[in-house]
Amino acid sequence: METGSVTTPFGQRPMTLGMLASQKAASELQADQSVDKWKIYRALCAAKPLLGVTDRALAVLNALLSFYPKNVLSEENGLVVFPSNDQLSLRSHGMAEQTIRRHLAVLVEAGLIVRKDSPNGKRYARRVKEGEVGEAFGFSLAPLIVRAEEIERLAAEVVAERLHVQRLREQLSLCRRDVAKLIETAMEEDLAGDWEAAFSYFRGLVDGVPRTPTAERIATTLEEMQTLRDDITNRLETLLKAKNTSGNPAQTERHIHNSNPESISELEPALEIKQGANSRRTLEPYAGAPAEKQKHDDRNTAEAQSRPGSDGAGIKSFPLGLVLQACPDMVGYGPGGSIANWRDMMAAAVVVRGMLGVSASAYEEASATMGAENAATVMACILERGGHINSAGGYLRDLTRRAERGEFSIGPMLMSLVRARGGGTRRAG
Protein backbone atom coordinates (compact mmCIF):
# COMPACT_ATOMS: atom_id res chain seq x y z
CA MET A 1 0.00 0.00 0.00
CA GLU A 2 0.97 3.67 -0.32
CA THR A 3 3.34 4.72 2.39
CA GLY A 4 5.02 7.93 3.37
CA SER A 5 4.54 10.85 5.69
CA VAL A 6 1.82 13.45 5.35
CA THR A 7 2.29 15.76 2.37
CA THR A 8 1.51 19.43 2.90
CA PRO A 9 0.61 21.78 0.03
CA PHE A 10 3.23 23.90 -1.68
CA GLY A 11 3.36 27.68 -1.25
CA GLN A 12 0.55 29.62 0.42
CA ARG A 13 -2.08 26.93 0.09
CA PRO A 14 -3.15 25.97 3.64
CA MET A 15 -3.29 22.49 5.11
CA THR A 16 -6.75 21.46 6.32
CA LEU A 17 -8.11 18.64 8.45
CA GLY A 18 -10.08 17.42 5.45
CA MET A 19 -6.88 17.06 3.43
CA LEU A 20 -5.28 15.24 6.35
CA ALA A 21 -8.25 12.86 6.54
CA SER A 22 -8.09 12.19 2.79
CA GLN A 23 -4.38 11.40 2.98
CA LYS A 24 -4.98 9.13 5.96
CA ALA A 25 -7.69 7.25 4.06
CA ALA A 26 -5.48 6.96 0.96
CA SER A 27 -2.64 5.53 3.04
CA GLU A 28 -4.90 2.62 4.04
CA LEU A 29 -5.21 1.42 0.45
CA GLN A 30 -4.66 -2.32 0.15
CA ALA A 31 -2.34 -3.69 -2.52
CA ASP A 32 -5.07 -5.83 -4.07
CA GLN A 33 -7.65 -3.06 -4.28
CA SER A 34 -8.55 -1.71 -7.72
CA VAL A 35 -11.42 -0.12 -9.62
CA ASP A 36 -12.29 0.62 -13.24
CA LYS A 37 -11.63 4.35 -13.62
CA TRP A 38 -14.52 5.06 -15.99
CA LYS A 39 -16.99 3.01 -13.98
CA ILE A 40 -16.18 4.95 -10.82
CA TYR A 41 -16.32 8.19 -12.82
CA ARG A 42 -19.86 7.39 -13.98
CA ALA A 43 -20.83 6.65 -10.38
CA LEU A 44 -19.34 10.02 -9.37
CA CYS A 45 -21.43 11.79 -12.00
CA ALA A 46 -24.56 10.17 -10.59
CA ALA A 47 -23.62 10.86 -6.96
CA LYS A 48 -22.47 14.47 -7.48
CA PRO A 49 -25.46 16.06 -5.64
CA LEU A 50 -24.44 14.22 -2.45
CA LEU A 51 -20.70 14.79 -2.89
CA GLY A 52 -20.88 18.54 -3.40
CA VAL A 53 -19.04 18.64 -6.74
CA THR A 54 -20.07 20.42 -9.92
CA ASP A 55 -20.12 19.43 -13.56
CA ARG A 56 -17.03 21.57 -14.23
CA ALA A 57 -15.10 19.91 -11.40
CA LEU A 58 -16.01 16.50 -12.80
CA ALA A 59 -14.83 17.63 -16.23
CA VAL A 60 -11.40 18.38 -14.69
CA LEU A 61 -11.42 14.97 -12.98
CA ASN A 62 -12.24 13.38 -16.33
CA ALA A 63 -9.16 15.07 -17.79
CA LEU A 64 -7.02 13.83 -14.90
CA LEU A 65 -8.25 10.27 -15.42
CA SER A 66 -7.41 10.49 -19.12
CA PHE A 67 -3.73 10.88 -18.14
CA TYR A 68 -3.78 7.62 -16.23
CA PRO A 69 -2.33 5.00 -18.64
CA LYS A 70 -4.53 2.06 -17.60
CA ASN A 71 -8.31 1.58 -17.40
CA VAL A 72 -8.01 -0.01 -13.97
CA LEU A 73 -6.81 2.13 -11.08
CA SER A 74 -4.44 0.15 -8.86
CA GLU A 75 -1.35 0.73 -6.76
CA GLU A 76 0.58 -1.65 -8.98
CA ASN A 77 0.36 0.83 -11.87
CA GLY A 78 0.97 3.87 -9.71
CA LEU A 79 -1.78 6.29 -8.72
CA VAL A 80 -0.27 9.75 -9.23
CA VAL A 81 -0.94 11.73 -12.43
CA PHE A 82 1.14 14.82 -13.12
CA PRO A 83 -0.18 16.79 -16.13
CA SER A 84 0.50 20.52 -16.37
CA ASN A 85 -2.37 23.00 -16.32
CA ASP A 86 -1.83 23.59 -20.04
CA GLN A 87 -2.31 19.88 -20.73
CA LEU A 88 -5.37 19.79 -18.49
CA SER A 89 -6.81 22.78 -20.34
CA LEU A 90 -6.49 20.99 -23.67
CA ARG A 91 -8.36 17.96 -22.34
CA SER A 92 -10.94 20.10 -20.53
CA HIS A 93 -12.18 21.74 -23.73
CA GLY A 94 -10.06 24.84 -23.32
CA MET A 95 -10.99 25.61 -19.72
CA ALA A 96 -9.07 28.61 -18.36
CA GLU A 97 -6.08 27.85 -16.13
CA GLN A 98 -7.53 29.85 -13.22
CA THR A 99 -10.77 27.90 -13.49
CA ILE A 100 -8.86 24.62 -13.56
CA ARG A 101 -7.06 25.56 -10.34
CA ARG A 102 -10.37 26.38 -8.67
CA HIS A 103 -11.96 23.07 -9.62
CA LEU A 104 -8.87 21.11 -8.62
CA ALA A 105 -9.25 22.67 -5.18
CA VAL A 106 -12.91 21.55 -5.14
CA LEU A 107 -11.90 17.97 -5.93
CA VAL A 108 -9.27 18.03 -3.18
CA GLU A 109 -11.75 19.50 -0.68
CA ALA A 110 -14.30 16.81 -1.60
CA GLY A 111 -11.69 14.13 -0.87
CA LEU A 112 -11.70 12.70 -4.40
CA ILE A 113 -8.03 13.39 -5.11
CA VAL A 114 -4.99 14.10 -2.92
CA ARG A 115 -2.29 16.66 -3.65
CA LYS A 116 1.24 15.35 -3.68
CA ASP A 117 3.27 18.49 -4.24
CA SER A 118 6.95 18.53 -5.13
CA PRO A 119 9.47 20.77 -3.31
CA ASN A 120 9.02 23.49 -5.95
CA GLY A 121 5.31 22.92 -6.60
CA LYS A 122 5.86 21.53 -10.09
CA ARG A 123 4.26 18.31 -11.29
CA TYR A 124 6.68 15.74 -12.62
CA ALA A 125 7.95 12.18 -12.21
CA ARG A 126 11.38 10.69 -11.67
CA ARG A 127 12.01 7.64 -13.72
CA VAL A 128 14.27 4.70 -12.95
CA LYS A 129 16.72 3.24 -15.42
CA GLU A 130 14.18 0.95 -17.02
CA GLY A 131 12.01 3.99 -17.86
CA GLU A 132 9.37 3.23 -15.26
CA VAL A 133 8.07 5.94 -12.97
CA GLY A 134 9.89 5.92 -9.68
CA GLU A 135 8.41 8.84 -7.75
CA ALA A 136 5.76 11.23 -9.05
CA PHE A 137 4.45 14.58 -7.86
CA GLY A 138 0.96 15.72 -8.85
CA PHE A 139 -2.46 14.33 -7.85
CA SER A 140 -3.05 10.93 -6.31
CA LEU A 141 -6.19 9.08 -7.45
CA ALA A 142 -6.03 6.68 -4.50
CA PRO A 143 -9.19 8.13 -2.82
CA LEU A 144 -11.25 6.92 -5.79
CA ILE A 145 -10.29 3.34 -4.97
CA VAL A 146 -10.63 3.70 -1.19
CA ARG A 147 -14.05 5.39 -1.50
CA ALA A 148 -15.33 3.31 -4.43
CA GLU A 149 -17.89 1.42 -2.35
CA GLU A 150 -19.14 4.64 -0.73
CA ILE A 151 -19.40 6.45 -4.09
CA GLU A 152 -21.35 3.59 -5.68
CA ARG A 153 -23.72 3.50 -2.69
CA LEU A 154 -24.34 7.25 -2.98
CA ALA A 155 -24.91 6.90 -6.71
CA ALA A 156 -27.48 4.17 -6.06
CA GLU A 157 -29.26 6.42 -3.55
CA VAL A 158 -29.45 9.27 -6.06
CA VAL A 159 -30.79 6.96 -8.77
CA ALA A 160 -33.37 5.51 -6.37
CA GLU A 161 -34.46 9.00 -5.33
CA ARG A 162 -34.75 10.05 -8.96
CA LEU A 163 -36.94 7.02 -9.75
CA HIS A 164 -39.05 7.74 -6.67
CA VAL A 165 -39.60 11.33 -7.78
CA GLN A 166 -40.42 10.13 -11.29
CA ARG A 167 -43.08 7.75 -9.97
CA LEU A 168 -44.57 10.48 -7.77
CA ARG A 169 -44.68 12.83 -10.75
CA GLU A 170 -46.47 10.19 -12.82
CA GLN A 171 -49.05 9.62 -10.08
CA LEU A 172 -49.57 13.36 -9.66
CA SER A 173 -49.97 13.80 -13.42
CA LEU A 174 -52.62 11.07 -13.56
CA CYS A 175 -54.47 12.41 -10.53
CA ARG A 176 -54.30 15.95 -11.95
CA ARG A 177 -55.84 14.73 -15.20
CA ASP A 178 -58.62 12.92 -13.33
CA VAL A 179 -59.55 16.00 -11.30
CA ALA A 180 -59.55 18.31 -14.34
CA LYS A 181 -61.79 16.00 -16.36
CA LEU A 182 -64.16 15.33 -13.47
CA ILE A 183 -64.64 19.07 -12.89
CA GLU A 184 -65.07 19.57 -16.64
CA THR A 185 -67.74 16.87 -16.69
CA ALA A 186 -69.59 18.44 -13.76
CA MET A 187 -69.55 21.88 -15.41
CA GLU A 188 -70.55 20.47 -18.80
CA GLU A 189 -73.47 18.55 -17.27
CA ASP A 190 -74.48 21.64 -15.25
CA LEU A 191 -74.44 19.64 -12.02
CA ALA A 192 -75.24 21.34 -8.73
CA GLY A 193 -72.17 22.56 -6.88
CA ASP A 194 -69.59 25.29 -6.64
CA TRP A 195 -67.32 23.81 -9.30
CA GLU A 196 -65.48 27.08 -9.84
CA ALA A 197 -64.28 26.95 -6.22
CA ALA A 198 -63.18 23.36 -6.76
CA PHE A 199 -61.36 24.33 -9.94
CA SER A 200 -59.67 27.31 -8.25
CA TYR A 201 -58.44 25.06 -5.44
CA PHE A 202 -57.24 22.54 -8.03
CA ARG A 203 -55.31 25.22 -9.92
CA GLY A 204 -53.82 26.43 -6.63
CA LEU A 205 -52.43 22.96 -5.96
CA VAL A 206 -50.97 22.69 -9.46
CA ASP A 207 -49.48 26.19 -9.52
CA GLY A 208 -48.02 25.72 -6.04
CA VAL A 209 -45.61 23.01 -7.18
CA PRO A 210 -42.18 24.59 -7.83
CA ARG A 211 -40.20 23.97 -11.01
CA THR A 212 -37.84 21.54 -9.28
CA PRO A 213 -39.83 20.12 -6.35
CA THR A 214 -38.54 17.72 -3.74
CA ALA A 215 -40.05 14.27 -3.33
CA GLU A 216 -41.67 15.43 -0.07
CA ARG A 217 -43.32 18.38 -1.81
CA ILE A 218 -44.67 16.22 -4.63
CA ALA A 219 -45.95 13.64 -2.14
CA THR A 220 -47.77 16.33 -0.15
CA THR A 221 -49.38 17.79 -3.26
CA LEU A 222 -50.32 14.30 -4.47
CA GLU A 223 -52.04 13.54 -1.19
CA GLU A 224 -54.05 16.77 -1.37
CA MET A 225 -54.90 16.14 -5.02
CA GLN A 226 -56.07 12.59 -4.25
CA THR A 227 -58.26 13.94 -1.46
CA LEU A 228 -59.79 16.44 -3.86
CA ARG A 229 -60.38 13.73 -6.44
CA ASP A 230 -62.06 11.47 -3.88
CA ASP A 231 -64.30 14.32 -2.70
CA ILE A 232 -65.34 15.21 -6.24
CA THR A 233 -65.94 11.55 -7.12
CA ASN A 234 -68.10 11.05 -4.02
CA ARG A 235 -70.07 14.19 -4.85
CA LEU A 236 -70.69 13.07 -8.43
CA GLU A 237 -71.72 9.59 -7.29
CA THR A 238 -74.16 11.11 -4.80
CA LEU A 239 -75.71 13.28 -7.52
CA LEU A 240 -75.89 10.28 -9.87
CA LYS A 241 -77.66 8.15 -7.25
CA ALA A 242 -80.12 10.94 -6.53
CA LYS A 243 -80.84 11.29 -10.24
CA ASN A 244 -81.35 7.54 -10.71
CA THR A 245 -83.66 7.16 -7.69
CA SER A 246 -85.83 10.17 -8.53
CA GLY A 247 -87.47 8.20 -11.36
CA ASN A 248 -89.27 11.15 -12.93
CA PRO A 249 -86.93 13.55 -14.71
CA ALA A 250 -89.49 16.33 -14.23
CA GLN A 251 -89.01 16.05 -10.48
CA THR A 252 -85.26 16.41 -10.68
CA GLU A 253 -84.11 19.54 -8.94
CA ARG A 254 -82.63 22.00 -11.39
CA HIS A 255 -79.52 23.98 -10.65
CA ILE A 256 -79.86 27.77 -10.90
CA HIS A 257 -76.59 29.52 -11.67
CA ASN A 258 -75.59 32.54 -9.63
CA SER A 259 -75.45 35.67 -11.77
CA ASN A 260 -72.58 37.31 -9.90
CA PRO A 261 -69.48 36.40 -11.95
CA GLU A 262 -67.15 37.50 -9.17
CA SER A 263 -68.67 35.15 -6.59
CA ILE A 264 -67.78 31.51 -6.23
CA SER A 265 -69.79 30.74 -3.10
CA GLU A 266 -73.41 31.30 -4.19
CA LEU A 267 -74.17 28.10 -6.10
CA GLU A 268 -76.91 25.80 -4.78
CA PRO A 269 -76.31 23.21 -3.53
CA ALA A 270 -72.87 24.66 -2.76
CA LEU A 271 -69.79 22.52 -3.29
CA GLU A 272 -67.62 24.29 -0.76
CA ILE A 273 -63.90 23.97 -0.10
CA LYS A 274 -63.58 23.66 3.65
CA GLN A 275 -60.44 23.34 5.73
CA GLY A 276 -60.62 21.05 8.74
CA ALA A 277 -58.43 20.84 11.78
CA ASN A 278 -56.01 18.60 9.96
CA SER A 279 -55.81 20.91 6.90
CA ARG A 280 -57.75 18.35 4.82
CA ARG A 281 -60.10 20.12 2.45
CA THR A 282 -63.44 18.52 1.63
CA LEU A 283 -66.34 19.23 -0.70
CA GLU A 284 -69.67 19.19 1.11
CA PRO A 285 -73.25 19.80 -0.07
CA TYR A 286 -75.28 22.83 1.03
CA ALA A 287 -76.33 22.19 4.63
CA GLY A 288 -78.33 25.32 5.48
CA ALA A 289 -81.73 25.38 7.16
CA PRO A 290 -84.87 25.18 4.91
CA ALA A 291 -85.72 28.85 5.38
CA GLU A 292 -82.18 29.93 4.55
CA LYS A 293 -82.16 27.64 1.53
CA GLN A 294 -85.39 29.22 0.25
CA LYS A 295 -83.88 32.70 0.57
CA HIS A 296 -80.80 31.41 -1.21
CA ASP A 297 -82.91 30.05 -4.10
CA ASP A 298 -85.00 33.23 -4.40
CA ARG A 299 -81.90 35.43 -4.53
CA ASN A 300 -80.25 33.27 -7.19
CA THR A 301 -83.43 33.15 -9.29
CA ALA A 302 -83.83 36.92 -9.24
CA GLU A 303 -80.19 37.43 -10.15
CA ALA A 304 -80.34 34.88 -12.96
CA GLN A 305 -83.38 36.64 -14.48
CA SER A 306 -81.61 40.02 -14.47
CA ARG A 307 -78.34 38.63 -15.84
CA PRO A 308 -77.33 39.85 -19.33
CA GLY A 309 -77.57 37.09 -21.84
CA SER A 310 -79.78 34.87 -19.67
CA ASP A 311 -82.29 34.75 -22.53
CA GLY A 312 -79.95 32.47 -24.56
CA ALA A 313 -80.86 29.03 -25.72
CA GLY A 314 -80.35 27.47 -22.29
CA ILE A 315 -76.56 27.70 -22.60
CA LYS A 316 -74.82 27.97 -19.25
CA SER A 317 -72.75 31.10 -18.67
CA PHE A 318 -69.43 30.67 -16.87
CA PRO A 319 -67.80 32.95 -14.27
CA LEU A 320 -65.81 35.84 -15.69
CA GLY A 321 -62.71 34.81 -13.72
CA LEU A 322 -62.68 31.37 -15.37
CA VAL A 323 -63.23 32.88 -18.83
CA LEU A 324 -60.27 35.25 -18.39
CA GLN A 325 -58.11 32.42 -17.06
CA ALA A 326 -58.82 30.45 -20.24
CA CYS A 327 -58.58 33.51 -22.53
CA PRO A 328 -56.11 36.00 -21.01
CA ASP A 329 -55.41 37.63 -24.42
CA MET A 330 -58.86 39.21 -24.20
CA VAL A 331 -57.79 41.47 -21.31
CA GLY A 332 -55.76 43.78 -23.53
CA TYR A 333 -58.85 44.70 -25.58
CA GLY A 334 -60.91 45.87 -22.61
CA PRO A 335 -61.43 49.55 -21.73
CA GLY A 336 -58.05 50.88 -20.60
CA GLY A 337 -56.43 47.51 -21.25
CA SER A 338 -58.29 45.72 -18.44
CA ILE A 339 -61.49 43.79 -17.82
CA ALA A 340 -63.10 44.21 -14.41
CA ASN A 341 -66.68 43.09 -15.13
CA TRP A 342 -68.96 41.69 -17.81
CA ARG A 343 -69.64 45.15 -19.27
CA ASP A 344 -65.90 45.50 -19.97
CA MET A 345 -65.86 41.97 -21.39
CA MET A 346 -68.68 42.75 -23.84
CA ALA A 347 -66.97 45.98 -24.91
CA ALA A 348 -63.79 44.02 -25.57
CA ALA A 349 -65.76 41.45 -27.57
CA VAL A 350 -67.03 44.19 -29.90
CA VAL A 351 -63.45 45.36 -30.52
CA VAL A 352 -62.24 41.80 -31.16
CA ARG A 353 -65.21 41.13 -33.46
CA GLY A 354 -64.15 43.97 -35.75
CA MET A 355 -60.49 43.01 -35.57
CA LEU A 356 -61.22 39.39 -36.59
CA GLY A 357 -63.54 40.43 -39.42
CA VAL A 358 -66.74 39.06 -37.86
CA SER A 359 -69.79 40.85 -39.21
CA ALA A 360 -72.10 42.73 -36.86
CA SER A 361 -75.04 40.57 -37.97
CA ALA A 362 -73.19 37.35 -37.12
CA TYR A 363 -72.32 38.62 -33.67
CA GLU A 364 -75.87 39.93 -33.03
CA GLU A 365 -77.28 36.54 -34.04
CA ALA A 366 -74.88 34.79 -31.66
CA SER A 367 -75.86 37.15 -28.82
CA ALA A 368 -79.56 36.53 -29.44
CA THR A 369 -79.09 32.75 -29.52
CA MET A 370 -76.50 32.22 -26.78
CA GLY A 371 -76.90 35.31 -24.65
CA ALA A 372 -74.64 38.36 -24.52
CA GLU A 373 -72.18 36.91 -21.98
CA ASN A 374 -71.82 33.65 -23.85
CA ALA A 375 -71.33 35.42 -27.18
CA ALA A 376 -68.55 37.53 -25.62
CA THR A 377 -67.02 34.36 -24.15
CA VAL A 378 -67.06 32.65 -27.55
CA MET A 379 -65.34 35.67 -29.12
CA ALA A 380 -62.64 35.42 -26.42
CA CYS A 381 -62.15 31.73 -27.24
CA ILE A 382 -61.94 32.47 -30.96
CA LEU A 383 -59.31 35.15 -30.24
CA GLU A 384 -57.31 32.69 -28.14
CA ARG A 385 -57.43 30.07 -30.91
CA GLY A 386 -57.02 32.55 -33.75
CA GLY A 387 -54.09 30.71 -35.30
CA HIS A 388 -56.21 27.57 -35.76
CA ILE A 389 -59.37 29.19 -37.22
CA ASN A 390 -59.46 30.23 -40.89
CA SER A 391 -62.71 32.22 -40.80
CA ALA A 392 -63.76 33.63 -37.44
CA GLY A 393 -67.12 34.79 -38.82
CA GLY A 394 -67.95 31.42 -40.36
CA TYR A 395 -66.87 29.61 -37.21
CA LEU A 396 -69.11 31.84 -35.06
CA ARG A 397 -72.13 31.28 -37.33
CA ASP A 398 -71.53 27.51 -37.18
CA LEU A 399 -71.43 27.59 -33.36
CA THR A 400 -74.60 29.69 -33.35
CA ARG A 401 -76.45 27.13 -35.49
CA ARG A 402 -75.23 24.32 -33.23
CA ALA A 403 -76.41 26.29 -30.19
CA GLU A 404 -79.88 26.64 -31.74
CA ARG A 405 -80.04 22.84 -32.05
CA GLY A 406 -78.80 22.39 -28.48
CA GLU A 407 -75.57 20.79 -29.67
CA PHE A 408 -73.06 23.34 -28.36
CA SER A 409 -71.66 23.98 -24.88
CA ILE A 410 -68.93 26.43 -23.88
CA GLY A 411 -67.55 24.38 -20.97
CA PRO A 412 -65.32 21.97 -22.92
CA MET A 413 -63.93 24.83 -25.01
CA LEU A 414 -62.95 26.80 -21.90
CA MET A 415 -61.45 23.83 -20.07
CA SER A 416 -59.46 22.85 -23.16
CA LEU A 417 -57.94 26.33 -23.32
CA VAL A 418 -57.13 26.29 -19.60
CA ARG A 419 -55.30 22.98 -19.95
CA ALA A 420 -53.50 24.15 -23.09
CA ARG A 421 -52.11 27.15 -21.20
CA GLY A 422 -50.97 24.97 -18.30
CA GLY A 423 -53.18 26.91 -15.90
CA GLY A 424 -51.42 30.24 -16.44
CA THR A 425 -53.57 33.08 -15.12
CA ARG A 426 -53.64 36.74 -16.02
CA ARG A 427 -55.69 38.84 -13.63
CA ALA A 428 -58.29 41.24 -14.92
CA GLY A 429 -57.99 44.87 -13.96
Side-chain angles (χ1 to χ4, degrees), residues 94-130:
M95 189 180 296
E97 183 175 336
Q98 185 177 2
T99 305
I100 288 176
R101 288 198 184 100
R102 185 171 66 251
H103 291 306
L104 285 172
V106 170
L107 293 172
V108 171
E109 185 67 24
L112 298 178
I113 59 176
V114 171
R115 287 186 184 276
K116 188 176 180 183
D117 287 348
S118 66
N120 62 1
K122 301 294 184 179
R123 301 170 201 154
Y124 60 88
R126 290 197 183 97
R127 300 184 181 275
V128 297
K129 294 180 179 180
E130 293 79 9

Side-chain angles (χ1 to χ4, degrees), residues 293-355:
K293 182 177 184 301
Q294 184 62 46
K295 293 179 181 179
H296 183 84
D297 293 343
D298 293 344
R299 181 171 67 255
N300 281 344
T301 302
E303 290 175 347
Q305 292 174 347
S306 63
R307 182 184 186 131
S310 61
D311 57 342
I315 300 179
K316 174 183 177 181
S317 298
F318 286 84
L320 179 60
L322 179 59
V323 174
L324 294 180
Q325 183 171 357
C327 311
D329 291 345
M330 195 70 170
V331 175
Y333 297 93
S338 65
I339 295 179
N341 49 50
W342 276 107
R343 187 180 301 277
D344 293 344
M345 182 67 173
M346 294 173 190
V350 172
V351 175
V352 170
R353 175 197 67 75
M355 183 188 71

Side-chain angles (χ1 to χ4, degrees), residues 43-63:
L44 278 170
C45 291
K48 66 180 180 180
L50 301 181
L51 291 170
V53 292
T54 63
D55 294 339
R56 303 293 296 278
L58 288 176
V60 174
L61 179 60
N62 181 284

Side-chain angles (χ1 to χ4, degrees), residues 4-9 14-28 108-109 111 113-115 143:
S5 61
V6 172
T7 302
T8 57
M15 181 68 179
T16 65
L17 291 178
M19 294 169 61
L20 182 62
S22 297
Q23 292 186 30
K24 173 64 175 176
S27 68
E28 296 176 355
V108 171
E109 185 67 24
I113 59 176
V114 171
R115 287 186 184 276

Side-chain angles (χ1 to χ4, degrees), residues 40-114:
I40 196 63
Y41 179 75
R42 288 192 294 270
L44 278 170
C45 291
K48 66 180 180 180
L50 301 181
L51 291 170
V53 292
T54 63
D55 294 339
R56 303 293 296 278
L58 288 176
V60 174
L61 179 60
N62 181 284
L64 283 175
L65 290 173
S66 70
F67 286 99
Y68 191 79
K70 305 290 184 178
N71 282 333
V72 176
L73 298 176
S74 67
E75 187 177 12
E76 180 183 358
N77 298 320
L79 290 172
V80 177
V81 290
F82 41 90
S84 67
N85 285 341
D86 288 340
Q87 292 173 317
L88 281 175
S89 178
L90 290 175
R91 298 197 187 183
S92 301
H93 308 288
M95 189 180 296
E97 183 175 336
Q98 185 177 2
T99 305
I100 288 176
R101 288 198 184 100
R102 185 171 66 251
H103 291 306
L104 285 172
V106 170
L107 293 172
V108 171
E109 185 67 24
L112 298 178
I113 59 176
V114 171

Side-chain angles (χ1 to χ4, degrees), residues 131-147:
E132 296 181 356
V133 175
E135 185 176 12
F137 298 96
F139 297 99
S140 172
L141 303 175
L144 296 181
I145 303 177
V146 175
R147 300 182 61 185

